[in-house]
Amino acid sequence: MEPQQHPSSAYPSRASSHGSAQSQSLHLNAVERPDVIDLTFEPANADIDEASPLVPAIGRPDDGALAPDNHLKSELARKGSDITTSGGSHSASRGKPEVRFEETRAQVAEENISSKDAPDDRGPSPPPLPSRPGSHAQRNIPQPNREAATQGSELGKEPPVKPYVLIPPLIAPRFPKDRTVDFFPWSGDHPEDVLSEQVTKQGFYDKSQVSQNETNTASTALRQTFKHKSGLQTLSSLFVSIYEQRQAHGRVTAPSTFKPPPRVTLTDTKREAWLRDLANPSVPLRRLSRTIPHGIRGKVLLEQCLGKNIPTARAVWLAKCVGANEMRAFKRKGASGAFALGGEVKWVRDWTVFVEQFLEGVISICGEKDWKSKMNYTARLSSHLFAEHLLDKDHYFGWLLTSFTASSLDKVPIWLLVLQIFWEELIQSRKNGRRLAESLLEKLLAATHYDEKELFTPIVQRLSHLVARLMVARPSNFVLPKRWSKYETILHSCVDRGNSIAAALYAKVTKRNLRFVDARSRRQDTDVGTSSRSRLIELLDSAGVCFNITEVDSLISNSGQDHRLPILTLLDWMSSSYREGVFRVFVAVRILRKLSEIGTDINGHILDFLARSGKAKGLCKDDDCDIRLLAELSLQGLPTHVLNLRRMLLKEAGFNPEHEARSIAHAKGAIAHQLPKLFLTPECEAASREPWTEISVSRFSRTVLSEICHWIQQQVRNYTSMSHLEESSSTEQKISGGEASSVTAHEFNTLRSILESCQDLSILADVLRITMSSNDPSILASIADTLNMNLGSLAAVGAINELFHGLVERERAVSRQMPPEAFLLTSILEVGSRIPGQDEVVRRLRQDLGRCQQLKATTAAWSPISDHMPDVLPNTDIREEVERILASGTSMEKHTLTRLFEALLTKLKSVSKHSEEETSNLANLLSRLRQFDLSCFDELMLASLDRLIGDAGPPCLSNIIAPLVNSGSISLLTLFQSSAMYRESNVEDSAIQAKLRATVEFLLLVMSERYGASQTNQAAYHWRLKQRRFVDDHALELLTTFVKIIEKNIELKDAAIEAKLNNLLQSPPFISMLRILIVQSTAAVQRCFASISRKSGSEAFLELDHKMDQILGEDYNPKSDAEESPVHDDMHEVALELQIIRIMRQLDDLTLPFCQMKLQLLLNGITLSVIHTEGSQSILISSLYRSISSAVADGSSIWVDAVSVLDNEVVSQIREQAEAQIMSSIPTNKTALAADIDDHDMNRTAALHSLSILAATAYSIPQQGVAELGPNIIENIEGLLQSVSRQGANGDQPSIDGNLSILSDGKQLLGAIYFWVDVLLRVVIIHRGTFQRTKVRTFDQARLLIALCSILVSEYFEDDSDLTDTALDVASCLVDDLPDEARIQCMKYLKERSYDSRLRYLFGYQEGPGDRLKLSQRGKFRPYPLRHWEILPEPTPVVGDNDTSLSLTLFEARKA
């Protein structure tokens, strides 16, 4: 039955269309219209919105009029036009309206009111019809006010005429998807419009179409079928057939009609209008997809989207439309296959660059107006483009990380914001995750070390949080072997110590990185105290004037409660023959005293040391160490019963205490007869008359020497007190009210000589303190020289600062009573300049010295020396004559100075052999002569040096040079520089030979101790002080010069120079200098020896090699060595081999630098030595390798430093032996595996030792790697992996190969494979440069990576997590340097075989949408890549069944 239209509905149905139209016409005609309406009038408050054209012009909805719908509006427009036409002549009038708009509006309002109040002539309306079924949801829909709409349309402008569009009524019942139920607009030919008898009686209803075969119900026919057994089967087949037919007819069969919106060229205005419509969400995309403007692409497209604020989804749609057209353009141009694919890849890369530039440009305007909104839009758009797979992922991520790394700290927050958008994708691959970790740590390091840390505190906190977050998410990204040492500390600061998980992850990451650390940087010592022992020895070797005992105390205190190890190390260092200086004893005593104060058992450790190493060091010889210690102890302050007990013990042990007493009395008598004024007593007079200088101090025990020194101390103190009482009335003995010492210069020099020979510096310090009260400037200068000579020992005693300040104060007191002496101030200055912290005192002393020199210069009136003095001086004493001439004036002409200089120098050479006193006086005259013209005098002296040295000869050279140096006429540095060898290549051999001789003479001069017949001579003492200071300050230059002389003399072959070099090597000062240099400047000495050992054919080289043997305490005899070892026939080869073995046995922290030098001299000169045989090199290398293996087996690692000084070629041979040993030990077949299982301890231990040697010598690997080793390693790994096969029906169960399972138990075989695979992986770690540095080995890299990935994915290796972690780390390091092409190839190979997450992390491949799509053709499957650019919503203006880029027919899709 056709539904009736509601009277108030604006949508007429078929049955009521005429009636409604008539009622509308009547209603419109009933409204009284004005005669004239001005259609051009526009009210002032009429806000006509272009976006809402349906709002009438005569009023707004808030005026009480509702906007009419489209049908009513068209009807009103049509009726309005009829009324206007019936208006006659008024309709044509376009002048001023007769009725104004306000009046018309008021009139209409009155008519409405009157019509509402007037009675209705039509009578009461019938009751409303019941609602139609299904329309209950639309009951409350408000209906438009037809009267108000009619009034508004009558009084407003004439609406535009639009075609009639039928709109279903709002109250009509609806199906899902907004389909109206039972609504048929009237057309005149519908069955509903025919009023038949049946329709009249029964109403109209739809009848189902029944085919001709179905005239009646089918139940009768089917009932019979169901009675049979096959009835249900028949019914089922029937229904299946029905469904198949429905599926076949409902399936999409039309071909894809997808086509991206075409691009057309538009004007700027239309293009702007199109972009505004795109930015308007109310404009559907299907309307815009008809065409898109041409010329919007690249960065312009992105800027237009930002400028127009186009919604993100629509901006992505536009980008896809442009991209799809660009992609298809390559095919239209004729490109196909690889060329088309390459063009697409290039276009995507260029588009990615545009997006990067766009994002970077927005970031660069940070701080400008509306930047935040622009940044939000840009970040959102770029992230959507990335999510839609419209960017080159690798290039985009690479740019992000590069920009973040290169950004300043001010821009770090912005880049962190961008990075966090892609955080999950970045950390999923090794390539990007490693770079992200390095960049975060680098920025954190920079922010932490910034000067103004407070400014970047938020950045530091944020970076630390991100680093910790990355650590938890992907700890493998922090496996950074190349930069671990740089980032280890900063990474540790980011770990939350309260979080056990984070701490465990950091510990694991540290362990994984340490696998790649060089063995030279990371010692794997079994002795935990080795590092602390080396550190303590290093601190003790640095002991000097500024020795920091606090640092040593701190190191010892940190060693634990038991200080045994540092105390034994201290005693070893103090008593070692490989160190120089008596100061070591006082340093050790001072440290032991501090340890004793805190309760440490010093005595027990000392006795332990003597029992352990006393005989080895020669301290006890054949006697018992305890008894020997008892015989050497000092007896001062001991009570009588203790002395008696000691005497009894010594007698019982075989010592004679009476001999000790006689030695003490004999020594006291000798000293008393030499210094009778101080020490001569009746007891001493009867004791001995032998001079002290003829007594050998070495024969006395420490007990005797201690007794002698304390006796001297007491006697000097008593003598000073008595002399003060006897001469208290003398004013000369009092300076500023203090006591003045009466000790003379001769007595002081003798006392100093005795105490220095006894090596009791504490007593010497006390004697210096007593004699410092003297008024004699020469004694004070001698005290200053004594301080300078024993500076290190007195500093170790702790008395140097007190003595120096006392000496300075005494000099000031003396200078107030008499004129200051320049030589005293100079001596004190030399001491003060070497003591740290005395800068202010030294500055005042320099001022005093300057005033002293000015005072002497102004004492004599100025008068020039006569220029007319005779050329030949009269035959008088030249010293007196020159003295008279120098005293006659203060200036001198150059030629006069030259004549005086020549005369004095000639006289000096003649008397130097006879009189030391006269030589000293002449040198002082030359020093005074130098003050007249420094530059002229120095020129004359330098010009005369060669002649002076050549004429004087070695015996008398020191007698001439020493007085000149003492007087200040010339310095040792000037002599050294003048005697330096010629370096010019065009100099004749004779000149070079003469210079070599002069240089050797100088070296002998500074190392000689001949000058001065007596040690008590102050001039000789001062000369030795000058020698020692020069050698200490220029030791390295002297050694370098010595080496160069040897090298040069190899070419000249001068026997005289060779003999002098041998004499130089015999001198104790040179040996002492060499020992100190080797300890303190090891690297510099190694460089010197490296050059000399390559030219080792000289006798001087052999003598130097022999001296190194003496320093090491060895003196080899090749003949005896050959007799001891019958293994080799060649005597020399046996001797060399035994030397290598002995050197390696002597290796420890104290002998290390000397063993390095010895090995360098022995091995670096083998190939060019004229005395060595051709096969010595291989024999020595084999001996050295065996010695190193023994050291490794003992758990020692000191050998690593020992071999580090050798030539790279020698170390390479050691490394190659280790490599060969490892490779030969790897089992490659079932027999070898069985043998390895049977004897696994010996084989595996030897392999581990060889691996340690290989790791320590890895620095000798060539930069280009070892090409032949790479394939060998890979083949061995693959051979071990092939020992594992997969068996079972599905091939997923790992098991041992059937051929191998019979060898032994499966677990033992599994352990063997685990061990050797781990060994090979460690070899790969050491040789990782072999696989990383050249493109030639890319194939080997790929093979190795595939083998490592096989270990990762194999269930056979799941039980050994350390092994799989090692394989993962090695693979990570190889992937870091793998070329992109090789990485892609490996990724394709492994992607088809495993989806293991670790492999996806290594190679950076992640599954995207559609990656698993396969296209089946003829039973074969091939990949079907998605075209992301063509996945477009609403691509065409017309909706089709198959308008998608991916054809629906491929999926057998059905119609909706």
Side-chain angles (χ1 to χ4, degrees):
M1 190 69 182
E2 183 179 0
Q4 291 183 352
Q5 182 70 27
H6 195 276
S8 62
S9 175
Y11 305 96
S13 65
R14 181 179 301 277
S16 62
S17 60
H18 295 288
S20 62
Q22 185 178 2
S23 63
Q24 291 175 6
S25 176
L26 292 175
H27 180 71
L28 291 173
N29 291 334
V31 180
E32 185 176 355
R33 302 286 296 178
D35 294 337
V36 178
I37 298 177
D38 188 2
L39 299 179
T40 64
F41 180 78
E42 293 182 4
N45 58 351
D47 298 328
I48 302 175
D49 191 0
E50 295 180 359
S52 302
L54 300 181
V55 179
I58 61 175
R60 303 292 290 177
D62 55 1
D63 295 333
L66 295 176
D69 52 63
N70 294 336
H71 174 68
L72 181 58
K73 187 173 181 181
S74 61
E75 290 292 329
L76 291 177
R78 183 174 57 84
K79 295 297 182 179
S81 62
D82 296 340
I83 297 174
T84 306
T85 305
S86 64
S89 61
H90 297 285
S91 62
S93 175
R94 295 300 179 187
K96 184 176 181 180
E98 297 179 1
V99 182
R100 295 185 178 274
F101 176 77
E102 290 80 1
E103 298 173 356
T104 305
R105 187 174 182 180
Q107 183 179 0
V108 172
E110 292 175 0
E111 290 177 358
N112 290 336
I113 294 173
S114 60
S115 63
K116 291 179 180 179
D117 297 299
D120 192 357
D121 297 338
R122 294 177 294 179
S125 62
L129 294 175
S131 61
R132 299 182 62 183
S135 63
H136 58 275
Q138 288 82 15
R139 292 177 180 176
N140 297 327
I141 298 177
Q143 300 297 326
N145 191 342
R146 297 186 61 179
E147 294 182 355
T150 304
Q151 294 170 3
S153 64
E154 291 175 351
L155 300 179
K157 290 183 179 181
E158 180 178 0
V161 179
K162 293 185 177 180
Y164 173 74
V165 179
L166 183 64
I167 300 177
L170 298 178
I171 63 173
R174 300 175 182 274
F175 284 120
K177 298 184 180 180
D178 203 30
R179 292 185 298 170
T180 307
V181 179
D182 196 20
F183 176 70
F184 303 103
W186 181 83
S187 60
D189 56 354
H190 196 272
E192 185 181 359
D193 298 334
V194 179
L195 295 177
S196 61
E197 181 181 359
Q198 184 178 1
V199 170
T200 304
K201 292 180 179 180
Q202 301 178 2
F204 179 80
Y205 59 89
D206 292 332
K207 297 180 180 180
S208 60
Q209 298 292 335
V210 181
S211 63
Q212 297 179 358
N213 297 330
E214 295 183 3
T215 57
N216 203 344
T217 178
S219 60
T220 305
L222 294 176
R223 187 179 294 111
Q224 298 297 328
T225 306
F226 290 155
K227 292 181 179 180
H228 300 283
K229 294 181 179 181
S230 61
L232 188 59
Q233 182 70 24
T234 303
L235 183 61
S236 177
S237 301
L238 184 60
F239 275 109
V240 169
S241 178
I242 292 172
Y243 279 116
E244 287 178 352
Q245 292 295 325
R246 187 180 70 173
Q247 185 175 6
H249 290 289
R251 188 174 297 165
V252 176
T253 58
S256 176
T257 59
F258 172 79
K259 185 179 180 182
R263 292 182 293 182
V264 297
T265 303
L266 301 177
T267 61
D268 293 342
T269 304
K270 292 183 178 180
R271 184 174 65 178
E272 292 295 324
W274 190 90
L275 290 173
R276 283 197 300 270
D277 290 342
L278 182 63
N280 186 4
S282 62
V283 178
L285 287 178
R286 287 203 178 272
R287 173 184 168 185
L288 299 173
S289 63
R290 295 174 182 174
T291 56
I292 60 175
H294 202 287
I296 302 178
R297 53 177 296 180
K299 193 175 180 181
V300 176
L301 185 150
L302 299 170
E303 292 175 350
Q304 288 288 351
C305 293
L306 176 62
K308 300 294 189 301
N309 196 21
I310 298 176
T312 306
R314 290 176 164 244
V316 173
W317 178 84
L318 177 59
K320 285 186 175 182
C321 291
V322 175
N325 280 282
E326 293 287 342
M327 299 297 181
R328 297 199 169 197
F330 291 111
K331 295 182 179 180
R332 288 196 299 269
K333 293 178 181 178
S336 61
F339 294 99
L341 182 61
E344 293 179 4
V345 171
K346 183 179 182 301
W347 189 90
V348 173
R349 179 69 57 87
D350 294 340
W351 164 253
T352 305
V353 172
F354 289 140
V355 175
E356 295 167 359
Q357 294 175 353
F358 174 64
L359 180 58
E360 188 174 11
V362 175
I363 293 177
S364 63
I365 62 173
C366 176
E368 296 185 4
K369 184 180 180 181
D370 299 332
W371 176 82
K372 184 177 180 180
S373 60
K374 291 181 180 180
M375 186 62 207
N376 288 334
Y377 181 87
T378 305
R380 185 168 59 251
L381 178 59
S382 60
S383 60
H384 276 75
L385 291 174
F386 178 83
E388 293 287 343
H389 303 276
L390 304 181
L391 300 177
D392 187 336
K393 179 180 176 181
D394 292 339
H395 191 279
Y396 188 66
F397 280 170
W399 169 80
L400 278 178
L401 295 172
T402 301
S403 300
F404 174 63
T405 304
S407 63
S408 61
L409 290 177
D410 298 334
K411 296 292 182 67
V412 164
I414 304 174
W415 286 106
L416 287 179
L417 174 66
V418 178
L419 286 175
Q420 290 180 82
I421 298 175
F422 310 99
W423 182 268
E424 294 299 329
E425 290 80 7
L426 282 170
I427 66 175
Q428 294 303 320
S429 67
R430 168 70 183 178
K431 179 180 179 181
N432 298 320
R434 175 186 59 84
R435 292 188 60 189
L436 176 62
E438 289 182 355
S439 300
L440 291 173
L441 293 174
E442 186 66 31
K443 292 300 178 184
L444 182 59
L445 196 64
T448 305
H449 291 85
Y450 195 76
D451 295 337
E452 301 178 1
K453 297 181 180 179
E454 295 77 8
L455 296 176
F456 296 103
T457 300
I459 296 179
V460 171
Q461 295 175 352
R462 187 59 184 168
L463 288 171
S464 301
H465 171 73
L466 291 177
V467 169
R469 175 184 170 188
L470 182 59
M471 171 73 77
V472 175
R474 280 287 183 181
S476 296
N477 288 328
F478 291 96
V479 178
L480 309 169
K482 297 180 181 179
R483 297 176 177 85
W484 175 248
S485 58
K486 179 180 180 181
Y487 297 136
E488 181 181 7
T489 304
I490 196 67
L491 179 61
H492 185 262
S493 65
C494 300
V495 178
D496 185 6
R497 293 168 178 80
N499 189 343
S500 59
I501 298 177
L505 287 174
Y506 173 77
K508 188 173 182 180
V509 168
T510 303
K511 177 183 177 182
R512 295 169 66 179
N513 277 283
L514 289 179
R515 291 193 184 108
F516 300 90
V517 177
D518 193 351
R520 291 175 297 170
S521 304
R522 178 174 55 92
R523 294 287 183 82
Q524 298 177 349
D525 295 336
T526 56
D527 184 7
V528 295
T530 300
S531 59
S532 60
R533 174 181 170 88
S534 302
R535 176 59 181 159
L536 179 58
I537 291 176
E538 181 182 352
L539 285 176
L540 293 173
D541 286 337
S542 65
V545 180
C546 54
F547 175 61
N548 188 4
I549 195 174
T550 305
E551 190 173 359
V552 178
D553 290 341
S554 176
L555 182 61
I556 295 177
S557 301
N558 295 334
S559 62
Q561 297 294 332
D562 185 13
H563 298 151
R564 177 178 179 277
L565 179 62
I567 290 177
L568 293 180
T569 303
L570 178 64
L571 294 174
D572 273 335
W573 175 79
M574 177 194 68
S575 58
S576 174
S577 61
Y578 304 105
R579 297 298 186 270
E580 282 288 327
V582 69
F583 74 95
R584 293 176 295 148
V585 177
F586 302 101
V587 170
V589 169
R590 190 174 177 185
I591 296 173
L592 291 175
R593 282 177 178 173
K594 292 185 70 66
L595 291 177
S596 179
E597 292 174 359
I598 61 176
T600 305
D601 183 15
I602 300 298
N603 296 331
H605 293 307
I606 293 176
L607 293 176
D608 185 20
F609 167 75
L610 292 175
R612 180 177 61 87
S613 58
K615 293 182 179 179
K617 291 181 175 289
L619 301 177
C620 304
K621 298 181 181 179
D622 297 332
D623 304 321
D624 186 71
C625 291
D626 296 337
I627 300 299
R628 185 64 184 173
L629 176 63
L630 189 62
E632 297 286 341
L633 288 177
S634 175
L635 306 181
Q636 296 297 319
L638 295 179
T640 305
H641 67 279
V642 175
L643 295 176
N644 293 333
L645 177 63
R646 174 181 177 272
R647 188 179 300 107
M648 293 172 56
L649 292 174
L650 290 177
K651 282 185 178 180
E652 186 177 354
F655 284 84
N656 187 4
E658 301 298 333
H659 177 71
E660 184 179 77
R662 287 195 298 270
S663 297
I664 294 175
H666 179 77
K668 288 182 179 180
I671 296 173
H673 282 91
Q674 193 168 354
L675 298 174
K677 185 178 179 182
L678 289 174
F679 302 104
L680 189 59
T681 60
E683 297 82 4
C684 296
E685 185 176 3
S688 174
R689 294 183 178 274
E690 181 182 7
W692 171 262
T693 54
E694 298 180 5
I695 296 178
S696 178
V697 180
S698 59
R699 70 184 184 181
F700 291 153
S701 65
R702 291 306 308 174
T703 303
V704 175
L705 294 178
S706 176
E707 185 69 22
I708 293 172
C709 292
H710 281 86
W711 175 71
I712 292 175
Q713 177 190 25
Q714 187 63 35
Q715 289 297 110
V716 172
R717 183 180 291 113
N718 295 337
Y719 175 75
T720 303
S721 301
M722 292 180 62
S723 61
H724 169 67
L725 293 175
E726 294 174 358
E727 302 176 2
S728 59
S729 59
S730 176
T731 57
E732 295 180 357
Q733 301 296 329
K734 295 183 180 181
I735 300 293
S736 302
E739 300 180 2
S741 173
S742 299
V743 177
T744 62
H746 170 70
E747 292 170 344
F748 175 80
N749 292 333
T750 305
L751 290 174
R752 178 181 61 190
S753 175
I754 295 172
L755 293 175
E756 286 181 347
S757 62
C758 295
Q759 296 184 348
D760 197 334
L761 275 300
S762 58
I763 300 297
L764 177 62
D766 194 32
V767 172
L768 293 177
R769 190 181 298 108
I770 295 172
T771 57
M772 198 176 292
S773 61
S774 175
N775 298 330
D776 189 353
S778 62
I779 294 180
L780 297 180
S782 298
I783 294 175
D785 289 344
T786 307
L787 295 180
N788 202 353
M789 180 73 77
N790 303 279
L791 192 63
S793 299
L794 293 175
V797 172
I800 187 62
N801 289 322
E802 178 187 355
L803 293 174
F804 176 71
H805 287 289
L807 182 62
V808 172
E809 294 298 328
R810 191 61 186 174
E811 186 278 329
R812 290 180 180 175
V814 172
S815 63
R816 286 193 292 267
Q817 302 296 326
M818 61 185 68
E821 296 291 343
F823 68 90
L824 175 59
L825 291 172
T826 302
S827 298
I828 298 176
L829 263 174
E830 291 178 357
V831 181
S833 60
R834 299 182 59 201
I835 302 176
Q838 305 296 333
D839 298 338
E840 184 63 26
V841 177
V842 170
R843 185 184 61 82
R844 291 198 301 266
L845 289 173
R846 294 187 189 279
Q847 294 176 354
D848 294 342
L849 180 60
R851 285 193 295 267
C852 177
Q853 293 174 349
Q854 292 178 359
L855 180 62
K856 288 187 176 182
T858 56
T859 52
W862 184 89
S863 60
I865 296 176
S866 174
D867 294 337
H868 301 286
M869 60 178 294
D871 293 337
V872 180
L873 294 173
N875 294 326
T876 59
D877 187 359
I878 186 173
R879 186 176 62 83
E880 297 178 358
E881 185 66 22
V882 173
E883 185 78 34
R884 181 183 60 80
I885 294 174
L886 293 179
S888 63
T890 57
S891 64
M892 186 180 298
E893 294 293 335
K894 184 176 181 179
H895 63 276
T896 304
L897 188 145
T898 303
R899 288 197 300 269
L900 293 178
F901 175 82
E902 293 293 341
L904 290 175
L905 193 61
T906 303
K907 183 65 174 179
L908 180 65
K909 290 190 291 183
S910 62
V911 301
S912 60
K913 301 178 182 179
H914 309 289
S915 174
E916 293 183 6
E917 183 179 359
E918 188 172 359
T919 303
S920 178
N921 293 332
L922 291 173
N924 290 331
L925 289 177
L926 285 171
S927 177
R928 292 176 58 187
L929 184 63
R930 184 175 180 269
Q931 302 301 322
F932 287 92
D933 194 338
L934 299 179
S935 60
C936 180
F937 183 89
D938 292 340
E939 291 177 1
L940 294 174
M941 182 61 72
L942 290 176
S944 304
L945 282 178
D946 292 340
R947 176 167 48 89
L948 183 65
I949 295 175
D951 296 342
C956 301
L957 183 60
S958 60
N959 294 337
I960 299 176
I961 298 298
L964 292 175
V965 173
N966 286 342
S967 64
S969 300
I970 194 172
S971 64
L972 287 175
L973 181 59
T974 303
L975 281 169
F976 177 58
Q977 293 173 349
S978 66
S979 61
M981 295 181 300
Y982 287 119
R983 294 181 175 85
E984 295 81 358
S985 59
N986 56 354
V987 178
E988 297 180 357
D989 291 344
S990 59
I992 296 178
Q993 193 170 8
K995 210 65 177 178
L996 284 177
R997 291 177 180 176
T999 306
V1000 174
E1001 291 293 345
F1002 175 80
L1003 293 178
L1004 289 171
L1005 173 67
V1006 295
M1007 301 293 177
S1008 174
E1009 297 179 349
R1010 302 174 195 168
Y1011 178 70
S1014 174
Q1015 293 182 353
T1016 61
N1017 191 340
Q1018 175 59 21
Y1021 191 85
H1022 192 72
W1023 164 245
R1024 289 196 301 274
L1025 174 62
K1026 293 288 186 180
Q1027 285 178 309
R1028 181 176 295 183
R1029 293 282 71 81
F1030 180 78
V1031 171
D1032 292 345
D1033 296 339
H1034 303 87
L1036 187 58
E1037 291 89 338
L1038 293 174
L1039 182 62
T1040 305
T1041 303
F1042 172 78
V1043 170
K1044 289 181 179 179
I1045 294 173
I1046 294 179
E1047 293 178 350
K1048 203 67 179 177
N1049 197 50
I1050 292 175
E1051 302 174 2
L1052 298 177
K1053 302 185 184 303
D1054 191 326
I1057 295 178
E1058 191 78 28
K1060 292 180 179 179
L1061 289 175
N1062 292 335
N1063 293 335
L1064 182 62
L1065 287 171
Q1066 298 294 335
S1067 62
F1070 183 85
I1071 299 299
S1072 176
M1073 180 195 74
L1074 184 61
R1075 187 180 286 116
I1076 294 174
L1077 269 180
I1078 290 176
V1079 173
Q1080 297 181 352
S1081 303
T1082 308
V1085 179
Q1086 288 172 4
R1087 289 192 293 269
C1088 290
F1089 282 11
S1091 62
I1092 188 177
S1093 60
R1094 291 184 177 89
K1095 300 178 180 180
S1096 53
S1098 67
E1099 295 181 5
F1101 168 78
L1102 299 177
E1103 184 66 26
L1104 179 61
D1105 189 21
H1106 183 65
K1107 286 302 174 186
M1108 290 301 304
D1109 294 340
Q1110 291 181 356
I1111 293 176
L1112 288 171
E1114 301 171 352
D1115 192 6
Y1116 297 115
N1117 186 353
K1119 294 183 179 180
S1120 61
D1121 291 335
E1123 293 173 356
E1124 293 175 3
S1125 178
V1127 178
H1128 299 286
D1129 295 334
D1130 187 83
M1131 179 179 60
H1132 187 71
E1133 292 179 2
V1134 174
L1136 293 176
E1137 185 175 357
L1138 291 177
Q1139 287 189 60
I1140 293 292
I1141 295 174
R1142 292 178 182 178
I1143 290 172
M1144 298 304 295
R1145 288 177 181 174
Q1146 282 189 310
L1147 266 178
D1148 60 20
D1149 294 296
L1150 289 171
T1151 63
L1152 173 63
F1154 302 96
C1155 292
Q1156 286 178 331
M1157 297 300 103
K1158 177 61 180 177
L1159 285 174
Q1160 186 177 20
L1161 290 172
L1162 190 63
L1163 294 178
N1164 288 1
I1166 290 296
T1167 55
L1168 298 179
S1169 177
V1170 296
I1171 62 174
H1172 290 160
T1173 61
E1174 187 176 0
S1176 298
Q1177 184 81 4
S1178 59
I1179 293 174
L1180 290 180
I1181 296 300
S1182 300
S1183 301
L1184 184 59
Y1185 183 81
R1186 288 194 298 270
S1187 300
I1188 291 174
S1189 298
S1190 300
V1192 174
D1194 295 338
S1196 174
S1197 64
I1198 196 69
W1199 63 269
V1200 177
D1201 294 325
V1203 301
S1204 63
V1205 301
L1206 302 179
D1207 274 351
N1208 201 45
E1209 180 182 356
V1210 176
V1211 181
S1212 296
Q1213 294 185 25
I1214 298 174
R1215 174 183 53 79
E1216 290 171 1
Q1217 285 203 13
E1219 293 169 354
Q1221 182 71 24
I1222 294 173
M1223 292 302 168
S1224 62
S1225 302
I1226 297 175
T1228 56
N1229 50 47
K1230 60 182 181 181
T1231 305
L1233 278 171
D1236 180 76
I1237 293 173
D1238 295 338
D1239 195 11
H1240 64 278
D1241 290 337
M1242 184 177 66
N1243 293 339
R1244 297 179 188 180
T1245 302
L1248 291 177
H1249 293 170
S1250 300
L1251 194 62
S1252 299
I1253 298 174
L1254 175 60
T1257 57
Y1259 63 91
S1260 65
I1261 298 175
Q1263 187 175 5
Q1264 67 274 11
V1266 183
E1268 61 275 6
L1269 187 63
N1272 192 8
I1273 295 174
I1274 298 172
E1275 289 174 2
N1276 281 288
I1277 293 178
E1278 291 176 347
L1280 291 172
L1281 294 179
Q1282 288 174 1
S1283 301
V1284 181
S1285 64
R1286 296 180 179 274
Q1287 297 179 354
N1290 55 2
D1292 292 335
Q1293 298 298 326
S1295 63
I1296 300 175
D1297 195 311
N1299 295 328
L1300 301 178
S1301 59
I1302 62 175
L1303 295 179
S1304 180
D1305 184 69
K1307 293 184 179 180
Q1308 293 182 0
L1309 183 62
L1310 183 65
I1313 295 176
Y1314 282 176
F1315 174 81
W1316 290 111
V1317 169
D1318 181 68
V1319 168
L1320 287 173
L1321 289 180
R1322 292 169 67 179
V1323 174
V1324 172
I1325 290 174
I1326 296 171
H1327 277 277
R1328 58 186 180 272
T1330 301
F1331 301 94
Q1332 294 176 347
R1333 291 190 177 119
T1334 60
K1335 294 184 178 180
V1336 179
R1337 300 188 180 93
T1338 302
F1339 177 71
D1340 292 339
Q1341 271 185 293
R1343 285 181 60 194
L1344 181 58
L1345 274 173
I1346 292 174
L1348 294 175
C1349 293
S1350 300
I1351 296 174
L1352 293 176
V1353 301
S1354 175
E1355 297 181 7
Y1356 187 65
F1357 294 94
E1358 285 181 352
D1359 296 336
D1360 195 339
S1361 59
D1362 291 338
L1363 181 61
T1364 54
D1365 287 344
T1366 304
L1368 177 61
D1369 295 339
V1370 175
S1372 300
C1373 294
L1374 294 177
V1375 166
D1376 291 342
D1377 298 321
L1378 191 68
D1380 291 339
E1381 297 80 2
R1383 184 171 58 88
I1384 294 173
Q1385 293 298 327
C1386 292
M1387 179 180 66
K1388 290 180 179 179
Y1389 176 82
L1390 296 170
K1391 188 176 180 181
E1392 299 175 356
R1393 290 163 173 80
S1394 176
Y1395 287 92
D1396 189 274
S1397 59
R1398 292 169 294 184
L1399 301 190
R1400 294 201 300 268
Y1401 165 74
L1402 285 175
F1403 297 100
Y1405 66 87
Q1406 303 295 330
E1407 291 186 1
D1411 283 356
R1412 293 195 178 187
L1413 283 178
K1414 303 289 184 179
L1415 182 63
S1416 176
Q1417 285 184 340
R1418 300 175 182 177
K1420 296 182 179 181
F1421 294 92
R1422 63 182 180 87
Y1424 189 86
L1426 287 178
R1427 295 180 176 272
H1428 299 286
W1429 291 92
E1430 296 183 355
I1431 302 178
L1432 281 170
E1434 303 180 3
T1436 57
V1438 180
V1439 180
D1441 291 339
N1442 191 6
D1443 60 354
T1444 60
S1445 61
L1446 184 60
S1447 179
L1448 298 178
T1449 59
L1450 298 175
F1451 303 93
E1452 297 183 350
R1454 291 181 296 175
K1455 298 178 182 179

